[in-house]
Amino acid sequence: MKKILLLILTLAFSLTEAGAVEIPDWAKTQIADAKTRFEAWKGDDSVVSFTVITDVHSRQPALIEPADFSDTKMHVLFTKEIADAMNADFCADLGDIELEMVPKTPEEVETRIQAQLTLYGQFTRPVLFAMGNHDHAKGRIVSSARYGELFNGLAAKNGHEYHFGPDKSIGYYEIAEKKFRIYFLNTSDDGYYAYSVPQLQFVADTLKTVPEGWTVIALQHYCMQNSIGHWKSCNTYAKFRETGIQLFEAFLAREKGGSEGVTWDFTGVKEPKMVGMFCGDSHFSHQKMFNGVNYVITQGYGGVRLDDMADGARHVLFSRGKEMLIDFVVVKPEKREVKIFRVGAGGADYDREFTY
């Protein structure tokens, strides 16, 4: 244990040092370009907005000096810069910071965790974390409960009120003045790709409490809609996938039912509204509506063979030391319109717009 603590203290920045890192000019330019597009689309409308960063898969366990922005975990600082520049309501991290493939020892896993916490420790806005399949570390030595306590627990300690499920890797956050509820889910809760019955029952029980006139959105790592989310070379089995899909479709249809030990009754819900399910994992961008539910995938920083992508998906190649790849999501609840602005790689060509 002493060896782990010494390694962390030696390699990690303090919050003050991390906060002093200067954002490079190329990043400021990419943020300014997206802000111009955002402000033109927003006009005078009331909006809910948030940043999405996902699949950073950083290969460096520690933070290093001087700051190296080719290390993808450093792009977390860009999400704060975007959120501040555009007055976002919250930030979303959709998982796979990388605790499984790159860290080789328990000490490196701890160093990697502390580096991420150091970067996020300076955020004042709420950050919602969705655990990724590569975030348990080898042998699942980082449990869902510990991940939730470390990351969503960090934001809760900063004074943001979260409503947690069976553990802190699952829950929701509300923006009451905008009548907006955001779920953060764990798609590696009961297996490499898997919901769990307690998680889905928590969602079922709390979805029926959504007040009239409110809008719901869900954040998770893996896209349970295999037809758009999976790699062609991987026929991934996800536990309780169909039940999770049925649950949200039943919410919109105001139905009563159940599946695989999960029960729900949405017959008393009035005017259910859901923006969609926002996901990472796939390393490409894609989206499609199924039975009223929008599934939206952000590419993030991971790689993928172009011939391995699902039909209709898009992937932009970029230099991580010169470009970021962060989505800025803007919702107009009164008009039920959504626009996703690409900050960095791909620019305006990768903006997306849809309704719900």
Side-chain angles (χ1 to χ4, degrees):
M1 180 59 70
K2 289 182 179 180
K3 182 179 178 182
I4 293 175
L5 291 175
L6 179 61
L7 190 62
I8 292 170
L9 291 172
T10 303
L11 296 177
F13 289 164
S14 71
L15 294 183
T16 302
E17 288 169 336
V21 172
E22 177 66 23
I23 300 298
D25 289 341
W26 58 262
K28 294 177 181 178
T29 297
Q30 290 168 27
I31 293 170
D33 288 346
K35 183 179 180 181
T36 297
R37 305 197 307 276
F38 156 61
E39 290 180 339
W41 186 78
K42 175 184 178 297
D44 296 326
D45 292 331
S46 175
V47 300
V48 174
S49 62
F50 60 98
T51 59
V52 174
I53 189 169
T54 190
D55 294 84
V56 297
H57 289 287
S58 175
R59 297 184 177 278
Q60 288 288 342
L63 293 166
I64 59 175
E65 297 185 73
D68 178 8
F69 285 96
S70 65
D71 177 7
T72 51
K73 69 173 169 286
M74 294 301 294
H75 289 219
V76 163
L77 296 179
F78 299 152
T79 68
K80 182 179 185 300
E81 193 81 1
I82 295 165
D84 290 345
M86 304 190 196
N87 195 28
D89 292 285
F90 64 96
C91 303
D93 185 318
L94 301 189
D96 274 5
I97 65 173
E98 190 56 85
L99 299 177
E100 183 180 58
M101 303 300 291
V102 177
K104 303 299 183 185
T105 65
E107 291 85 358
E108 287 187 337
V109 170
E110 293 302 319
T111 299
R112 179 70 190 88
I113 289 171
Q114 292 303 319
Q116 203 79 1
L117 290 173
T118 296
L119 294 169
Y120 275 117
Q122 60 192 288
F123 282 52
T124 56
R125 299 172 197 273
V127 185
L128 309 184
F129 294 88
M131 188 172 201
N133 55 296
H134 289 301
D135 291 336
H136 283 288
K138 290 183 175 69
R140 295 178 73 89
I141 64 172
V142 179
S143 67
S144 293
R146 183 169 184 236
Y147 175 92
E149 181 64 46
L150 287 168
F151 292 101
N152 289 312
L154 174 70
K157 289 174 185 176
N158 287 341
H160 303 295
E161 184 179 357
Y162 288 16
H163 301 263
F164 291 116
D167 60 53
K168 292 180 181 178
S169 72
I170 302 152
Y172 64 87
Y173 172 74
E174 293 183 333
I175 308 172
E177 64 275 18
K178 297 185 178 182
K179 300 181 178 180
F180 210 82
R181 180 184 291 186
I182 310 102
Y183 281 87
F184 49 94
L185 306 180
N186 182 351
T187 54
S188 294
D189 192 23
D190 192 20
Y192 200 64
Y193 289 119
Y195 291 124
S196 67
V197 168
Q199 174 178 188
L200 292 178
Q201 193 61 61
F202 166 79
V203 175
D205 292 343
T206 56
L207 269 178
K208 67 182 180 184
T209 70
V210 175
E212 184 178 358
W214 280 49
T215 301
V216 169
I217 191 170
L219 312 172
Q220 60 186 33
H221 180 65
Y222 177 65
C223 179
M224 291 290 177
Q225 276 292 352
N226 279 4
S227 61
I228 68 166
H230 74 104
W231 291 4
K232 290 182 177 179
S233 62
C234 300
N235 186 18
T236 305
Y237 170 75
K239 252 176 115 173
F240 303 110
R241 180 180 74 88
E242 290 295 337
T243 300
I245 290 171
Q246 291 172 35
L247 172 59
F248 285 101
E249 291 179 357
F251 169 68
L252 288 177
R254 301 175 60 204
E255 293 176 346
K256 180 179 180 179
S259 175
E260 296 185 288
V262 182
T263 60
W264 53 79
D265 184 355
F266 302 124
T267 55
V269 177
K270 296 181 179 179
E271 298 182 38
K273 293 183 287 187
M274 182 173 180
V275 178
M277 308 284 291
F278 286 73
C279 314
D281 183 67
S282 301
H283 303 172
F284 52 67
S285 295
H286 208 339
Q287 75 183 76
K288 192 172 181 180
M289 178 183 280
F290 295 85
N291 296 325
V293 180
N294 286 302
Y295 292 83
V296 185
I297 304 170
T298 292
Q299 174 184 321
Y301 291 81
V304 61
R305 297 199 320 266
L306 299 186
D307 62 355
D308 209 10
M309 298 194 304
D311 295 340
R314 302 181 74 192
H315 179 96
V316 59
L317 299 174
F318 67 106
S319 171
R320 280 107 176 111
K322 296 179 181 178
E323 293 178 281
M324 68 184 79
L325 197 160
I326 297 169
D327 278 347
F328 182 64
V329 182
V330 185
V331 182
K332 294 182 177 180
E334 293 181 2
K335 295 182 177 180
R336 300 183 69 155
E337 297 175 350
V338 185
K339 188 156 186 177
I340 303 174
F341 297 90
R342 172 60 54 81
V343 188
D349 287 343
Y350 279 75
D351 289 352
R352 295 179 273 176
E353 192 168 356
F354 60 96
T355 59
Y356 62 94

